[in-house]
mmCIF file of all heavy atoms in Angstrom:
data_model
loop_
_atom_site.group_PDB
_atom_site.id
_atom_site.type_symbol
_atom_site.label_atom_id
_atom_site.label_comp_id
_atom_site.label_asym_id
_atom_site.label_seq_id
_atom_site.Cartn_x
_atom_site.Cartn_y
_atom_site.Cartn_z
ATOM 1 N N MET X 1 -9.576 347.638 -4.451
ATOM 2 C CA MET X 1 -8.478 346.862 -5.132
ATOM 3 C C MET X 1 -8.043 345.849 -4.015
ATOM 4 O O MET X 1 -7.892 346.060 -2.874
ATOM 5 C CB MET X 1 -7.274 347.783 -5.287
ATOM 6 C CG MET X 1 -7.422 348.607 -6.588
ATOM 7 S SD MET X 1 -7.281 347.689 -8.117
ATOM 8 C CE MET X 1 -5.538 347.422 -8.249
ATOM 9 N N ALA X 2 -7.917 344.627 -4.538
ATOM 10 C CA ALA X 2 -7.445 343.526 -3.683
ATOM 11 C C ALA X 2 -5.873 343.627 -3.461
ATOM 12 O O ALA X 2 -5.179 344.387 -4.216
ATOM 13 C CB ALA X 2 -7.670 342.189 -4.280
ATOM 14 N N ALA X 3 -5.328 342.932 -2.437
ATOM 15 C CA ALA X 3 -3.859 342.974 -2.247
ATOM 16 C C ALA X 3 -3.285 342.194 -3.414
ATOM 17 O O ALA X 3 -3.884 341.344 -4.100
ATOM 18 C CB ALA X 3 -3.551 342.301 -0.947
ATOM 19 N N ARG X 4 -2.066 342.692 -3.802
ATOM 20 C CA ARG X 4 -1.373 341.919 -4.757
ATOM 21 C C ARG X 4 0.086 341.637 -4.383
ATOM 22 O O ARG X 4 0.674 342.398 -3.656
ATOM 23 C CB ARG X 4 -1.443 342.517 -6.182
ATOM 24 C CG ARG X 4 -0.813 343.714 -6.261
ATOM 25 C CD ARG X 4 -1.062 344.308 -7.739
ATOM 26 N NE ARG X 4 -0.261 345.639 -8.018
ATOM 27 C CZ ARG X 4 0.981 345.535 -8.429
ATOM 28 N NH1 ARG X 4 1.643 344.486 -8.729
ATOM 29 N NH2 ARG X 4 1.582 346.732 -8.622
ATOM 30 N N VAL X 5 0.732 340.642 -5.054
ATOM 31 C CA VAL X 5 2.108 340.255 -4.658
ATOM 32 C C VAL X 5 3.105 340.918 -5.710
ATOM 33 O O VAL X 5 2.910 340.742 -6.946
ATOM 34 C CB VAL X 5 2.203 338.790 -4.672
ATOM 35 C CG1 VAL X 5 3.697 338.454 -4.387
ATOM 36 C CG2 VAL X 5 1.357 338.194 -3.638
ATOM 37 N N VAL X 6 4.152 341.551 -5.249
ATOM 38 C CA VAL X 6 5.229 341.985 -6.130
ATOM 39 C C VAL X 6 6.132 340.833 -6.326
ATOM 40 O O VAL X 6 6.858 340.463 -5.403
ATOM 41 C CB VAL X 6 5.907 343.308 -5.538
ATOM 42 C CG1 VAL X 6 7.106 343.605 -6.437
ATOM 43 C CG2 VAL X 6 4.984 344.335 -5.264
ATOM 44 N N LYS X 7 6.080 340.206 -7.498
ATOM 45 C CA LYS X 7 6.789 338.788 -7.632
ATOM 46 C C LYS X 7 8.225 338.983 -7.423
ATOM 47 O O LYS X 7 8.796 338.038 -6.926
ATOM 48 C CB LYS X 7 6.474 338.436 -9.126
ATOM 49 C CG LYS X 7 5.088 337.930 -9.225
ATOM 50 C CD LYS X 7 4.780 337.323 -10.740
ATOM 51 C CE LYS X 7 3.363 336.906 -10.917
ATOM 52 N NZ LYS X 7 3.105 336.340 -12.183
ATOM 53 N N ALA X 8 8.855 340.067 -7.708
ATOM 54 C CA ALA X 8 10.311 340.013 -7.665
ATOM 55 C C ALA X 8 10.750 340.152 -6.186
ATOM 56 O O ALA X 8 11.914 339.858 -5.846
ATOM 57 C CB ALA X 8 10.767 341.313 -8.362
ATOM 58 N N LEU X 9 9.837 340.513 -5.240
ATOM 59 C CA LEU X 9 10.159 340.589 -3.846
ATOM 60 C C LEU X 9 9.730 339.390 -2.944
ATOM 61 O O LEU X 9 10.234 339.174 -1.941
ATOM 62 C CB LEU X 9 9.456 341.802 -3.241
ATOM 63 C CG LEU X 9 10.039 343.136 -3.727
ATOM 64 C CD1 LEU X 9 9.204 344.419 -3.065
ATOM 65 C CD2 LEU X 9 11.468 343.329 -3.512
ATOM 66 N N CYS X 10 8.774 338.598 -3.578
ATOM 67 C CA CYS X 10 8.338 337.351 -2.821
ATOM 68 C C CYS X 10 9.477 336.203 -2.815
ATOM 69 O O CYS X 10 9.807 335.885 -3.886
ATOM 70 C CB CYS X 10 7.057 336.919 -3.418
ATOM 71 S SG CYS X 10 6.373 335.568 -2.554
ATOM 72 N N ILE X 11 9.588 335.661 -1.647
ATOM 73 C CA ILE X 11 10.522 334.550 -1.565
ATOM 74 C C ILE X 11 9.764 333.256 -1.254
ATOM 75 O O ILE X 11 10.449 332.267 -0.931
ATOM 76 C CB ILE X 11 11.646 334.836 -0.545
ATOM 77 C CG1 ILE X 11 10.998 335.142 0.873
ATOM 78 C CG2 ILE X 11 12.578 335.995 -0.928
ATOM 79 C CD1 ILE X 11 12.026 335.162 1.898
ATOM 80 N N GLY X 12 8.457 333.348 -1.166
ATOM 81 C CA GLY X 12 7.770 332.139 -0.919
ATOM 82 C C GLY X 12 7.794 331.581 0.389
ATOM 83 O O GLY X 12 7.534 330.366 0.677
ATOM 84 N N CYS X 13 8.005 332.368 1.387
ATOM 85 C CA CYS X 13 8.143 331.985 2.794
ATOM 86 C C CYS X 13 6.887 331.375 3.458
ATOM 87 O O CYS X 13 6.872 330.743 4.384
ATOM 88 C CB CYS X 13 8.807 333.156 3.684
ATOM 89 S SG CYS X 13 7.590 334.377 3.955
ATOM 90 N N GLY X 14 5.793 331.959 2.864
ATOM 91 C CA GLY X 14 4.455 331.419 3.413
ATOM 92 C C GLY X 14 3.844 332.172 4.537
ATOM 93 O O GLY X 14 2.743 331.805 5.058
ATOM 94 N N ALA X 15 4.582 333.081 5.145
ATOM 95 C CA ALA X 15 4.167 333.754 6.308
ATOM 96 C C ALA X 15 2.820 334.502 6.021
ATOM 97 O O ALA X 15 1.862 334.433 6.902
ATOM 98 C CB ALA X 15 5.161 334.910 6.717
ATOM 99 N N CYS X 16 2.566 334.963 4.924
ATOM 100 C CA CYS X 16 1.278 335.710 4.684
ATOM 101 C C CYS X 16 0.008 334.693 4.546
ATOM 102 O O CYS X 16 -0.949 335.068 4.970
ATOM 103 C CB CYS X 16 1.413 336.442 3.212
ATOM 104 S SG CYS X 16 1.907 335.307 1.853
ATOM 105 N N THR X 17 0.333 333.562 4.106
ATOM 106 C CA THR X 17 -0.743 332.567 4.006
ATOM 107 C C THR X 17 -1.509 332.308 5.329
ATOM 108 O O THR X 17 -2.649 332.143 5.435
ATOM 109 C CB THR X 17 -0.420 331.212 3.310
ATOM 110 O OG1 THR X 17 0.582 330.638 4.280
ATOM 111 C CG2 THR X 17 0.271 331.418 1.986
ATOM 112 N N HIS X 18 -0.559 332.177 6.356
ATOM 113 C CA HIS X 18 -1.182 331.877 7.699
ATOM 114 C C HIS X 18 -1.926 333.103 8.373
ATOM 115 O O HIS X 18 -2.767 332.829 9.184
ATOM 116 C CB HIS X 18 0.016 331.487 8.621
ATOM 117 C CG HIS X 18 0.817 330.356 8.127
ATOM 118 N ND1 HIS X 18 0.266 329.082 7.958
ATOM 119 C CD2 HIS X 18 2.079 330.251 7.786
ATOM 120 C CE1 HIS X 18 1.188 328.269 7.436
ATOM 121 N NE2 HIS X 18 2.353 329.014 7.316
ATOM 122 N N MET X 19 -1.563 334.237 7.862
ATOM 123 C CA MET X 19 -2.205 335.432 8.413
ATOM 124 C C MET X 19 -3.500 335.809 7.824
ATOM 125 O O MET X 19 -4.249 336.596 8.361
ATOM 126 C CB MET X 19 -1.254 336.739 8.369
ATOM 127 C CG MET X 19 0.031 336.587 9.248
ATOM 128 S SD MET X 19 -0.443 336.330 10.986
ATOM 129 C CE MET X 19 -1.085 337.936 11.311
ATOM 130 N N CYS X 20 -3.768 335.373 6.571
ATOM 131 C CA CYS X 20 -4.982 335.719 5.851
ATOM 132 C C CYS X 20 -6.254 335.158 6.394
ATOM 133 O O CYS X 20 -6.411 333.944 6.414
ATOM 134 C CB CYS X 20 -4.775 335.461 4.362
ATOM 135 S SG CYS X 20 -6.258 335.949 3.428
ATOM 136 N N PRO X 21 -7.149 335.871 7.007
ATOM 137 C CA PRO X 21 -8.434 335.485 7.531
ATOM 138 C C PRO X 21 -9.361 334.971 6.472
ATOM 139 O O PRO X 21 -10.307 334.268 6.834
ATOM 140 C CB PRO X 21 -8.934 336.637 8.228
ATOM 141 C CG PRO X 21 -8.492 337.815 7.523
ATOM 142 C CD PRO X 21 -7.032 337.407 6.994
ATOM 143 N N SER X 22 -9.140 335.322 5.204
ATOM 144 C CA SER X 22 -10.002 334.964 4.084
ATOM 145 C C SER X 22 -9.644 333.775 3.361
ATOM 146 O O SER X 22 -10.163 333.320 2.398
ATOM 147 C CB SER X 22 -10.260 336.102 3.159
ATOM 148 O OG SER X 22 -10.708 337.231 3.909
ATOM 149 N N GLY X 23 -8.379 333.171 3.620
ATOM 150 C CA GLY X 23 -7.810 332.104 2.983
ATOM 151 C C GLY X 23 -7.616 332.369 1.476
ATOM 152 O O GLY X 23 -7.784 331.653 0.547
ATOM 153 N N ALA X 24 -7.201 333.701 1.234
ATOM 154 C CA ALA X 24 -6.958 334.164 -0.174
ATOM 155 C C ALA X 24 -5.688 333.913 -0.771
ATOM 156 O O ALA X 24 -5.445 334.029 -1.920
ATOM 157 C CB ALA X 24 -7.369 335.612 -0.230
ATOM 158 N N ILE X 25 -4.690 333.524 0.122
ATOM 159 C CA ILE X 25 -3.347 333.437 -0.349
ATOM 160 C C ILE X 25 -2.946 331.974 -0.465
ATOM 161 O O ILE X 25 -3.030 331.278 0.608
ATOM 162 C CB ILE X 25 -2.342 334.339 0.478
ATOM 163 C CG1 ILE X 25 -2.943 335.602 0.786
ATOM 164 C CG2 ILE X 25 -0.958 334.424 -0.144
ATOM 165 C CD1 ILE X 25 -2.059 336.438 1.848
ATOM 166 N N THR X 26 -2.212 331.674 -1.460
ATOM 167 C CA THR X 26 -1.676 330.307 -1.737
ATOM 168 C C THR X 26 -0.237 330.503 -2.127
ATOM 169 O O THR X 26 0.084 331.472 -2.855
ATOM 170 C CB THR X 26 -2.383 329.365 -2.639
ATOM 171 O OG1 THR X 26 -2.508 330.044 -3.834
ATOM 172 C CG2 THR X 26 -3.803 328.952 -2.137
ATOM 173 N N VAL X 27 0.644 329.537 -1.814
ATOM 174 C CA VAL X 27 2.056 329.732 -2.200
ATOM 175 C C VAL X 27 2.416 328.439 -3.047
ATOM 176 O O VAL X 27 2.124 327.301 -2.649
ATOM 177 C CB VAL X 27 3.079 329.787 -1.034
ATOM 178 C CG1 VAL X 27 4.536 329.701 -1.554
ATOM 179 C CG2 VAL X 27 2.803 331.045 -0.307
ATOM 180 N N LYS X 28 2.895 328.725 -4.366
ATOM 181 C CA LYS X 28 3.246 327.614 -5.230
ATOM 182 C C LYS X 28 4.474 328.044 -5.921
ATOM 183 O O LYS X 28 4.608 329.092 -6.370
ATOM 184 C CB LYS X 28 2.099 327.476 -6.228
ATOM 185 C CG LYS X 28 2.057 326.079 -6.930
ATOM 186 C CD LYS X 28 1.083 325.980 -8.106
ATOM 187 C CE LYS X 28 -0.251 326.434 -7.755
ATOM 188 N NZ LYS X 28 -1.110 326.170 -8.933
ATOM 189 N N ALA X 29 5.430 327.059 -5.966
ATOM 190 C CA ALA X 29 6.705 327.338 -6.647
ATOM 191 C C ALA X 29 7.376 328.591 -6.120
ATOM 192 O O ALA X 29 7.943 329.462 -6.859
ATOM 193 C CB ALA X 29 6.404 327.389 -8.147
ATOM 194 N N ASN X 30 7.356 328.799 -4.801
ATOM 195 C CA ASN X 30 8.016 329.805 -4.144
ATOM 196 C C ASN X 30 7.496 331.158 -4.553
ATOM 197 O O ASN X 30 8.189 332.261 -4.478
ATOM 198 C CB ASN X 30 9.536 329.862 -4.304
ATOM 199 C CG ASN X 30 10.169 328.716 -3.595
ATOM 200 O OD1 ASN X 30 9.813 328.416 -2.438
ATOM 201 N ND2 ASN X 30 11.172 328.119 -4.150
ATOM 202 N N GLN X 31 6.258 331.318 -4.898
ATOM 203 C CA GLN X 31 5.551 332.580 -5.180
ATOM 204 C C GLN X 31 4.108 332.558 -4.512
ATOM 205 O O GLN X 31 3.424 331.641 -4.768
ATOM 206 C CB GLN X 31 5.440 332.744 -6.662
ATOM 207 C CG GLN X 31 6.639 333.314 -7.396
ATOM 208 C CD GLN X 31 7.030 334.686 -7.157
ATOM 209 O OE1 GLN X 31 6.127 335.494 -7.117
ATOM 210 N NE2 GLN X 31 8.257 334.949 -6.848
ATOM 211 N N ALA X 32 3.837 333.624 -3.829
ATOM 212 C CA ALA X 32 2.484 333.698 -3.309
ATOM 213 C C ALA X 32 1.537 334.277 -4.329
ATOM 214 O O ALA X 32 1.960 335.096 -5.181
ATOM 215 C CB ALA X 32 2.577 334.728 -2.101
ATOM 216 N N HIS X 33 0.260 333.710 -4.230
ATOM 217 C CA HIS X 33 -0.687 334.145 -5.187
ATOM 218 C C HIS X 33 -1.920 334.521 -4.332
ATOM 219 O O HIS X 33 -2.325 333.901 -3.374
ATOM 220 C CB HIS X 33 -1.202 333.080 -6.092
ATOM 221 C CG HIS X 33 0.009 332.643 -6.936
ATOM 222 N ND1 HIS X 33 0.354 333.177 -8.073
ATOM 223 C CD2 HIS X 33 0.852 331.607 -6.785
ATOM 224 C CE1 HIS X 33 1.357 332.580 -8.656
ATOM 225 N NE2 HIS X 33 1.780 331.646 -7.742
ATOM 226 N N ILE X 34 -2.489 335.709 -4.604
ATOM 227 C CA ILE X 34 -3.757 336.147 -3.966
ATOM 228 C C ILE X 34 -4.912 336.080 -4.804
ATOM 229 O O ILE X 34 -4.938 336.642 -5.977
ATOM 230 C CB ILE X 34 -3.515 337.718 -3.444
ATOM 231 C CG1 ILE X 34 -2.338 337.764 -2.383
ATOM 232 C CG2 ILE X 34 -4.780 338.173 -2.816
ATOM 233 C CD1 ILE X 34 -2.039 339.067 -1.998
ATOM 234 N N ASP X 35 -5.991 335.443 -4.296
ATOM 235 C CA ASP X 35 -7.257 335.404 -5.154
ATOM 236 C C ASP X 35 -8.020 336.650 -4.769
ATOM 237 O O ASP X 35 -8.536 336.862 -3.627
ATOM 238 C CB ASP X 35 -8.026 334.141 -4.502
ATOM 239 C CG ASP X 35 -9.220 333.862 -5.317
ATOM 240 O OD1 ASP X 35 -9.812 334.890 -5.920
ATOM 241 O OD2 ASP X 35 -9.840 332.770 -5.219
ATOM 242 N N SER X 36 -8.057 337.435 -5.747
ATOM 243 C CA SER X 36 -8.679 338.811 -5.535
ATOM 244 C C SER X 36 -10.196 338.708 -5.157
ATOM 245 O O SER X 36 -10.661 339.550 -4.562
ATOM 246 C CB SER X 36 -8.412 339.639 -6.787
ATOM 247 O OG SER X 36 -8.971 339.012 -7.850
ATOM 248 N N ALA X 37 -10.796 337.633 -5.612
ATOM 249 C CA ALA X 37 -12.236 337.535 -5.355
ATOM 250 C C ALA X 37 -12.454 337.184 -3.792
ATOM 251 O O ALA X 37 -13.479 337.459 -3.285
ATOM 252 C CB ALA X 37 -12.813 336.307 -6.116
ATOM 253 N N LYS X 38 -11.395 336.648 -3.159
ATOM 254 C CA LYS X 38 -11.503 336.349 -1.784
ATOM 255 C C LYS X 38 -11.025 337.433 -0.832
ATOM 256 O O LYS X 38 -11.333 337.532 0.353
ATOM 257 C CB LYS X 38 -10.616 335.006 -1.432
ATOM 258 C CG LYS X 38 -11.409 333.811 -1.871
ATOM 259 C CD LYS X 38 -10.619 332.606 -1.546
ATOM 260 C CE LYS X 38 -11.275 331.267 -2.105
ATOM 261 N NZ LYS X 38 -10.364 330.089 -1.752
ATOM 262 N N CYS X 39 -10.076 338.199 -1.373
ATOM 263 C CA CYS X 39 -9.480 339.279 -0.524
ATOM 264 C C CYS X 39 -10.417 340.314 -0.142
ATOM 265 O O CYS X 39 -11.142 340.932 -0.941
ATOM 266 C CB CYS X 39 -8.238 339.845 -1.321
ATOM 267 S SG CYS X 39 -7.460 341.340 -0.455
ATOM 268 N N ASP X 40 -10.452 340.648 1.148
ATOM 269 C CA ASP X 40 -11.241 341.674 1.745
ATOM 270 C C ASP X 40 -10.410 342.968 2.166
ATOM 271 O O ASP X 40 -10.935 343.709 2.831
ATOM 272 C CB ASP X 40 -12.305 341.263 2.832
ATOM 273 C CG ASP X 40 -11.449 340.819 4.098
ATOM 274 O OD1 ASP X 40 -10.109 341.059 4.164
ATOM 275 O OD2 ASP X 40 -12.034 340.371 5.057
ATOM 276 N N GLU X 41 -9.240 343.054 1.709
ATOM 277 C CA GLU X 41 -8.406 344.189 1.927
ATOM 278 C C GLU X 41 -8.051 344.465 3.458
ATOM 279 O O GLU X 41 -7.974 345.544 3.783
ATOM 280 C CB GLU X 41 -8.953 345.372 1.161
ATOM 281 C CG GLU X 41 -9.116 345.187 -0.255
ATOM 282 C CD GLU X 41 -9.889 346.368 -0.923
ATOM 283 O OE1 GLU X 41 -9.903 347.360 -0.459
ATOM 284 O OE2 GLU X 41 -10.482 346.090 -1.977
ATOM 285 N N CYS X 42 -7.927 343.375 4.235
ATOM 286 C CA CYS X 42 -7.825 343.717 5.659
ATOM 287 C C CYS X 42 -6.364 344.104 5.990
ATOM 288 O O CYS X 42 -6.096 344.675 7.003
ATOM 289 C CB CYS X 42 -8.027 342.432 6.458
ATOM 290 S SG CYS X 42 -6.820 341.184 6.143
ATOM 291 N N GLU X 43 -5.400 343.945 4.960
ATOM 292 C CA GLU X 43 -4.073 344.302 5.144
ATOM 293 C C GLU X 43 -3.160 343.524 6.124
ATOM 294 O O GLU X 43 -2.042 343.847 6.325
ATOM 295 C CB GLU X 43 -3.832 345.804 5.518
ATOM 296 C CG GLU X 43 -4.678 346.808 4.502
ATOM 297 C CD GLU X 43 -4.249 348.199 4.640
ATOM 298 O OE1 GLU X 43 -3.530 348.583 5.493
ATOM 299 O OE2 GLU X 43 -4.981 348.949 3.962
ATOM 300 N N GLU X 44 -3.689 342.400 6.666
ATOM 301 C CA GLU X 44 -2.861 341.608 7.532
ATOM 302 C C GLU X 44 -1.676 341.093 6.886
ATOM 303 O O GLU X 44 -0.550 340.945 7.423
ATOM 304 C CB GLU X 44 -3.803 340.359 8.118
ATOM 305 C CG GLU X 44 -4.894 340.859 8.949
ATOM 306 C CD GLU X 44 -4.276 341.285 10.455
ATOM 307 O OE1 GLU X 44 -3.131 340.862 10.726
ATOM 308 O OE2 GLU X 44 -5.017 341.935 10.996
ATOM 309 N N CYS X 45 -1.761 340.643 5.612
ATOM 310 C CA CYS X 45 -0.650 340.041 4.894
ATOM 311 C C CYS X 45 0.473 341.054 4.563
ATOM 312 O O CYS X 45 1.626 340.773 4.635
ATOM 313 C CB CYS X 45 -1.091 339.479 3.614
ATOM 314 S SG CYS X 45 -1.948 340.648 2.536
ATOM 315 N N ILE X 46 0.097 342.388 4.611
ATOM 316 C CA ILE X 46 1.205 343.420 4.359
ATOM 317 C C ILE X 46 2.072 343.408 5.506
ATOM 318 O O ILE X 46 3.207 343.499 5.355
ATOM 319 C CB ILE X 46 0.446 344.769 4.025
ATOM 320 C CG1 ILE X 46 -0.286 344.663 2.721
ATOM 321 C CG2 ILE X 46 1.458 345.875 4.009
ATOM 322 C CD1 ILE X 46 -1.136 345.893 2.408
ATOM 323 N N PHE X 47 1.394 343.381 6.684
ATOM 324 C CA PHE X 47 2.291 343.395 7.834
ATOM 325 C C PHE X 47 3.015 342.094 8.096
ATOM 326 O O PHE X 47 4.077 342.062 8.814
ATOM 327 C CB PHE X 47 1.455 343.717 9.134
ATOM 328 C CG PHE X 47 0.707 345.046 9.016
ATOM 329 C CD1 PHE X 47 -0.603 345.222 8.776
ATOM 330 C CD2 PHE X 47 1.557 346.301 9.019
ATOM 331 C CE1 PHE X 47 -1.207 346.481 8.600
ATOM 332 C CE2 PHE X 47 0.911 347.486 8.938
ATOM 333 C CZ PHE X 47 -0.357 347.681 8.651
ATOM 334 N N ALA X 48 2.423 341.061 7.583
ATOM 335 C CA ALA X 48 3.039 339.655 7.879
ATOM 336 C C ALA X 48 4.296 339.504 6.981
ATOM 337 O O ALA X 48 5.206 338.711 7.336
ATOM 338 C CB ALA X 48 2.091 338.561 7.501
ATOM 339 N N CYS X 49 4.339 340.168 5.839
ATOM 340 C CA CYS X 49 5.518 339.829 4.917
ATOM 341 C C CYS X 49 6.758 340.465 5.326
ATOM 342 O O CYS X 49 6.908 341.607 5.545
ATOM 343 C CB CYS X 49 5.026 340.260 3.420
ATOM 344 S SG CYS X 49 6.417 339.958 2.380
ATOM 345 N N PRO X 50 7.794 339.641 5.503
ATOM 346 C CA PRO X 50 9.076 340.173 5.924
ATOM 347 C C PRO X 50 9.756 340.919 4.754
ATOM 348 O O PRO X 50 10.803 341.615 4.993
ATOM 349 C CB PRO X 50 9.791 338.855 6.241
ATOM 350 C CG PRO X 50 9.328 337.809 5.346
ATOM 351 C CD PRO X 50 7.832 338.110 5.318
ATOM 352 N N ASN X 51 9.344 340.764 3.570
ATOM 353 C CA ASN X 51 9.997 341.470 2.394
ATOM 354 C C ASN X 51 9.262 342.505 1.764
ATOM 355 O O ASN X 51 9.765 343.070 0.747
ATOM 356 C CB ASN X 51 10.260 340.334 1.268
ATOM 357 C CG ASN X 51 11.607 339.707 1.359
ATOM 358 O OD1 ASN X 51 12.182 339.793 2.525
ATOM 359 N ND2 ASN X 51 12.115 339.075 0.364
ATOM 360 N N GLY X 52 8.184 342.839 2.411
ATOM 361 C CA GLY X 52 7.359 344.000 1.820
ATOM 362 C C GLY X 52 6.918 343.663 0.457
ATOM 363 O O GLY X 52 6.823 344.564 -0.411
ATOM 364 N N ALA X 53 6.598 342.448 0.246
ATOM 365 C CA ALA X 53 6.206 341.998 -1.191
ATOM 366 C C ALA X 53 4.746 342.128 -1.426
ATOM 367 O O ALA X 53 4.370 341.810 -2.585
ATOM 368 C CB ALA X 53 6.677 340.431 -1.380
ATOM 369 N N ILE X 54 3.845 342.537 -0.510
ATOM 370 C CA ILE X 54 2.452 342.643 -0.812
ATOM 371 C C ILE X 54 2.026 344.082 -0.600
ATOM 372 O O ILE X 54 2.308 344.835 0.302
ATOM 373 C CB ILE X 54 1.624 341.717 0.191
ATOM 374 C CG1 ILE X 54 2.126 340.358 0.101
ATOM 375 C CG2 ILE X 54 0.069 341.834 -0.163
ATOM 376 C CD1 ILE X 54 1.350 339.414 1.031
ATOM 377 N N ILE X 55 1.193 344.526 -1.665
ATOM 378 C CA ILE X 55 0.794 345.930 -1.687
ATOM 379 C C ILE X 55 -0.716 345.970 -2.028
ATOM 380 O O ILE X 55 -1.118 345.038 -2.521
ATOM 381 C CB ILE X 55 1.494 346.855 -2.706
ATOM 382 C CG1 ILE X 55 1.471 346.211 -4.157
ATOM 383 C CG2 ILE X 55 3.056 346.866 -2.376
ATOM 384 C CD1 ILE X 55 2.012 347.079 -5.238
ATOM 385 N N ILE X 56 -1.251 347.065 -1.606
ATOM 386 C CA ILE X 56 -2.715 347.248 -1.983
ATOM 387 C C ILE X 56 -2.880 348.461 -2.812
ATOM 388 O O ILE X 56 -2.356 349.520 -2.450
ATOM 389 C CB ILE X 56 -3.618 347.225 -0.711
ATOM 390 C CG1 ILE X 56 -3.830 345.897 -0.046
ATOM 391 C CG2 ILE X 56 -4.880 347.866 -1.055
ATOM 392 C CD1 ILE X 56 -4.817 345.844 0.985
HETATM 393 S S1 LIG D 1 -5.384 341.850 2.531
HETATM 394 FE FE1 LIG D 1 -6.339 340.465 4.169
HETATM 395 S S2 LIG D 1 -7.867 339.214 2.889
HETATM 396 FE FE2 LIG D 1 -6.549 340.277 1.393
HETATM 397 S S3 LIG D 1 -4.979 338.778 0.869
HETATM 398 FE FE3 LIG D 1 -4.115 340.026 2.567
HETATM 399 S S4 LIG D 1 -4.619 339.050 4.513
HETATM 400 FE FE4 LIG D 1 -5.860 338.191 2.912
HETATM 401 S S1 LIG D 2 5.178 336.635 3.280
HETATM 402 FE FE1 LIG D 2 5.892 337.844 1.528
HETATM 403 S S2 LIG D 2 7.635 336.786 0.866
HETATM 404 FE FE2 LIG D 2 6.547 335.381 2.147
HETATM 405 S S3 LIG D 2 5.193 334.194 0.705
HETATM 406 FE FE3 LIG D 2 4.103 335.907 1.459
HETATM 407 S S4 LIG D 2 4.412 337.647 -0.189
HETATM 408 FE FE4 LIG D 2 5.951 336.057 -0.352
#
């Protein structure tokens, strides 16, 4: 399972995009989106998110 964003918790800060080594995360309209085809489940984004908005 790829990481996914809990929309209600994401504030679009972009912290996760910088941490993803696979370039799987983009932020648009204050919401992060994860491309599941690119995600390798490294979990870096989970630790990067200040709101706990990413889960695997
Ligand atoms: S788990 Fe890793 S590869 Fe997947 S979106 Fe998060 S930082 Fe990127
Ligand atoms: S770090 Fe968390 S709150 Fe910020 S854009 Fe990513 S998922 Fe959203």
